[in-house]
Amino acid sequence: MNKIKTIIRKEWAEVFKNRMVIFTVAFLPLLMTAIPLVIIFSTGAITSDASTLTNLDAEMPTELTDAMCPEGLNGADCFQVFLVSQFMMMFMIIPVAIPVTIAAYSIVGEKTTRSLEPLLATPITTIELLIGKCLSAAIPAVLATYAAFGLFALGSWILVSDKILLTALLDARWLIAIFIVGPLLAVMAVTFALMVSSRVSDPRVAEQVSMVIIVPVLAGFFGQMAGLFVLNKTVISWVAVVMLALDAGLIYLATNVFQREQILTRWK
Amino acid sequence: MIHTETLTKRFKEVLAVDNLSLDIREGEVFGFLGPNGAGKTTTVRMLTSLIGPTAGTATVAGFAIGRQDTDIRRTVGVLTETPGMYDNLSAEVNLRIFADLYEVNDAAGQVEKYLKMLGLYDRRLDTAGTFSKGMKQKLAIARALLHEPKIIFLDEPTAALDPEAAHLVRDFIAELKKEGRTIFLCTHNLDEADRLCDRIGVFKSRLLVLDTPANLRASIFGRKVVFHLRAADDRLAQAVRSLNFVREVKVVENKLLVNLEDPEAHNPEIVRVLVGVGAEVQFVGELRHSLEDVYLQLVKAA
Ligand SMILES: Nc1ncnc2c1ncn2[C@@H]1O[C@H](COP(=O)(O)OP(=O)(O)OP(=O)(O)O)[C@@H](O)[C@H]1O
Ligand SMILES: [Mg+2]
């Protein structure tokens, strides 16, 4: 347990000296928060103009309004909810992108600086090392996601006066997405990046290959934008269940792939 | 302390270590000599539980490799061949991390002790990346010792150090030896091996020989005694050659080089004979072959 803490402390001491990492950890969540808030703000201004209301009402498919909006919400407000919902998937990029930049470097980085062998010579168990490396990338990612969501919640509370709209924006779908799917995504990204990192010999390659894990999230984002599916509560819950199974499988795979001798000698 | 039996490691086509059987005693400094690619580092990695053997067994401090790896790692200290530091972190933090990983009780105290011992205390707050090669090597040695290991593996500790730094490290190893630790020393520096090691194994995939430095010399070259005379010639050489215990005599300038089994017993007799035939003996001394001669002889033959 203490060794895991030591690894995390060490990783953080090292990683947060890297400007690129600080940039992703700080900037990405701010960007992802700002975009939906700007949209709420600007559509709020448009829809208060009564003449556009009827048009919007007509354009919203009932399938969507049913999924998104509690009864008693007018068409314009429902449209706001819809627009902002589109960006829920963007929040899901945070827990994937941040840990990838940290974790991709974590094994191959130690290889290139030749600190891996002394580290593996200590009595730390392989599992402890793996957990330490995992958590050191996943914790900042999850915290950044929560922080971004906190800012978003605060912002929408200030911008949106209508109680119903507020509860619709911050409904169960969001909470499941942020608090359950987010950490699961982070674990997935980290485990994947660690496996890549222990297999390659160049940190840049590790980062590029690991970034592949963002593709499914982006696909989800654009798929939803294109109207291929609606992220209602059921879909999100299923995503969470699938993620859980996926994570379990990835962790199992990682603990098998991650062997001292392999990462030490499979070099060039 | 270290015991191996037909320890073997194969990397695909390369047979890096072939049937190594060794017995290293407690408190011994064991020199492991061999050319580049001989398999020294591979052996150290097996004995420190970093990689597993292809065949054979070994115990280190009574723990079996492959089965009690964590115990072995806890018990031994290892200076790896290319020991990297966390270059962005200070020397002190680097050591603190490892003290914690080695479960050292008084981590801060141990870190301070070894920083001082290796002359790095004044630079403890500087990042390791700013250190010179020699300082990094010293820091790496400190890192290997924080948990006061009974067995220490040193893989070329003085390679790439300037003579002064190398000297300091050698003195430090001698110090560790005095403390009664068992030391497994891989080196290319034969002079270092000669001075520090109780026994030496010459290795090139297989163990070629294993003995004390003195015995290695004697077994390969026999023992030679040099008689410095005011003037040496064949007549004097002939007189010495006629003694039945003398194997070989050579004249080199004013010296007679005599090959003997037991110089301590026979030198007085030779001196008597030389004086008897009118030679003026100035000095008598043993001709020491350098360990380098021994080593080159063995490695070429292998
Ligand atoms: N990870 C590996 N994969 C494949 N072959 C390896 C690996 N590590 C070592 N070898 C091979 O095993 C042999 C022994 O290498 P090793 O590094 O143990 O030699 P060494 O005695 O330490 O040499 P040096 O004096 O140069 O340090 C070499 O032929 C080397 O190429
Ligand atoms: Mg070597």
Side-chain angles (χ1 to χ4, degrees), chain A residues 118 121-123, chain B residues 48 70-79 95 98-107 110-111 113-114 140-153 181:
Chain A
T122 67
Chain B
T48 51
T70 307
D71 292 312
I72 292 178
R73 292 192 196 109
R74 199 172 280 136
T75 316
V76 308
V78 55
L79 174 73
L95 294 188
F98 278 80
D100 291 342
L101 291 176
Y102 276 111
E103 302 158 349
V104 172
N105 281 331
D106 177 21
Q110 283 297 96
V111 168
K113 171 182 163 185
Y114 279 101
I141 292 174
R143 179 173 66 182
L145 297 173
L146 290 167
H147 57 302
E148 305 291 354
K150 281 192 296 189
I151 304 178
I152 303 164
F153 291 86
R181 314 210 206 199

Side-chain angles (χ1 to χ4, degrees), chain B residues 158-224:
Chain B
T158 57
L161 296 189
D162 71 32
E164 197 193 341
H167 186 83
L168 196 142
V169 167
R170 246 171 250 139
D171 284 350
F172 192 71
I173 297 171
E175 213 43 53
L176 294 173
K177 180 186 172 172
K178 270 192 216 142
E179 292 174 8
R181 314 210 206 199
T182 310
I183 299 171
F184 189 104
L185 174 69
C186 295
T187 181
H188 287 295
N189 187 320
L190 297 157
D191 193 41
E192 170 176 305
D194 205 359
R195 268 190 278 169
L196 289 172
C197 299
D198 299 309
R199 286 190 306 159
I200 285 173
V202 180
F203 184 76
K204 188 175 174 183
S205 301
R206 295 176 300 111
L207 189 62
L208 304 176
V209 292
L210 193 163
D211 215 327
T212 63
N215 285 348
L216 283 181
R217 284 196 201 89
S219 67
I220 294 199
F221 293 103
R223 293 179 71 186
K224 279 200 182 117

Side-chain angles (χ1 to χ4, degrees), chain A residues 39-40 43-44 47 53 56-86 160 162 164-166 168-169 171 173 230:
Chain A
I39 290 182
I40 294 183
T43 55
T47 51
L53 268 179
L56 280 170
D57 237 350
E59 278 168 26
M60 290 284 287
T62 46
E63 185 195 347
L64 271 180
T65 43
D66 288 351
M68 307 249 167
C69 307
E71 271 172 49
L73 212 60
N74 69 33
D77 286 347
C78 189
F79 181 67
Q80 267 195 327
V81 173
F82 164 72
L83 266 183
V84 174
S85 306
Q86 297 286 312
V160 182
D162 192 312
I164 304 172
L165 177 56
L166 190 58
L169 281 178
D171 69 357
R173 294 177 310 131
V230 179

